[in-house]
Amino acid sequence: MRWLTECSVDTVRDALRVVAPGLAELPITLPDLVGRDEPLWMASSAAVGEEFVAKVAWSAPAARRLAHEIGVLTALSVPFMPEVVASSTEPVLLVTRRMPGKSLFAVVDSIDRDHAGRQLAQFLVALHDPSTRAAVERALGPLPAPRAEASTDEIRARLGRWVRPDQHAAVTTWCAWADEVLAEPRPSVLVHGDLHGDNQVWNGDRLSLVVDFETTSAAEPEYDLRAFPSTGPDCELLTATTQHYEHLSGRSLSLDRIMAWHLRTTLDDLLWRSEARVPLPGHHSPTTWINDLTTRFAKLQIGP
């Protein structure tokens, strides 16, 4: 497996000449790469002309993640998948067709959440079907576990300096509750692993694509819905998606477990961003994030 020496227009163009020669002379636009110092995240997507997107990597850990995504996309057959135009591991490069649309975050407040939830449930039910995992594992071998997040012990020990004392007390109670809820493991399925709004392309109220399968792994179904409580107003998208999921699949989902994963993921994100001095999305403060968590627990009437 060979990866790029750096992320530049010239190196991307050289890789395209090898993998997709017909695209190599199109204009190439790279995003701002400030902060890409950690080898695991030395990957990016370049716009190639107006119709294509090329994903590249310039470190060994990032290349392994991208090679994993290439293998997953080759083996998967579920709705709302990107169209693979070309792929290679010599060099590591993935080219997909660009689709017009916006992030779910940009449209969720203006679309019908029930209609959106139905489409997301269609994707998740197909992805979580046992036959889907079997097909991917036949091609790639056993799926890995999801990326490790901060443990609840680490959150309790390190988050206090960033929030009010009363909020830290609430965090301590929430973490104990989450530990109890997740203490008993559940059967795992193939999960996307990072299904937040920016990894979805929406054309109005229609889901066009789900992207970024680098973190596809094996976990319980609830793990894939952990970003939904904070997407859209009043947890409506979460409620709609779970209801349609249960109707389509005949399998129940645990809101307690979804919220326990949501809590851990949210606090992990809050912790590393605060310690790294990286702004929280929307430039909110840590105290605002804790207040928002309190509101979500109250809205769903679950939690400690």
Side-chain angles (χ1 to χ4, degrees), residues 40-41 60-70 147 213-215:
L40 183 62
W41 310 117
R64 286 193 292 269
R65 285 166 57 95
L66 182 50
H68 176 70
E69 178 173 18
I70 290 169
R147 180 183 68 86
F213 287 80
E214 290 184 10
T215 55

Side-chain angles (χ1 to χ4, degrees), residues 74-95:
T74 301
L76 269 182
S77 180
V78 298
F80 309 113
M81 295 289 292
E83 178 188 345
V84 177
V85 176
S87 64
S88 169
T89 56
E90 292 287 340
V92 179
L93 179 73
L94 172 65
V95 181

Side-chain angles (χ1 to χ4, degrees), residues 9 11 37 78 94-95 104 126-127 134 143 186 220 223 250 287 290:
V9 169
T11 56
D37 298 325
V78 298
L94 172 65
V95 181
L104 176 61
L127 190 73
L143 287 164
R186 295 284 182 88
E220 62 181 73
Y223 184 83
T287 56
I290 299 299

Side-chain angles (χ1 to χ4, degrees), residues 121-133:
Q122 290 171 350
F123 168 75
L124 286 168
V125 168
L127 190 73
H128 294 169
D129 190 276
S131 64
T132 302
R133 176 175 180 175

Side-chain angles (χ1 to χ4, degrees), residues 160-177:
R161 63 176 295 197
W162 304 106
V163 298
R164 299 193 313 262
D166 61 304
Q167 291 181 319
H168 188 245
V171 165
T172 300
T173 301
W174 288 340
C175 285
W177 170 81

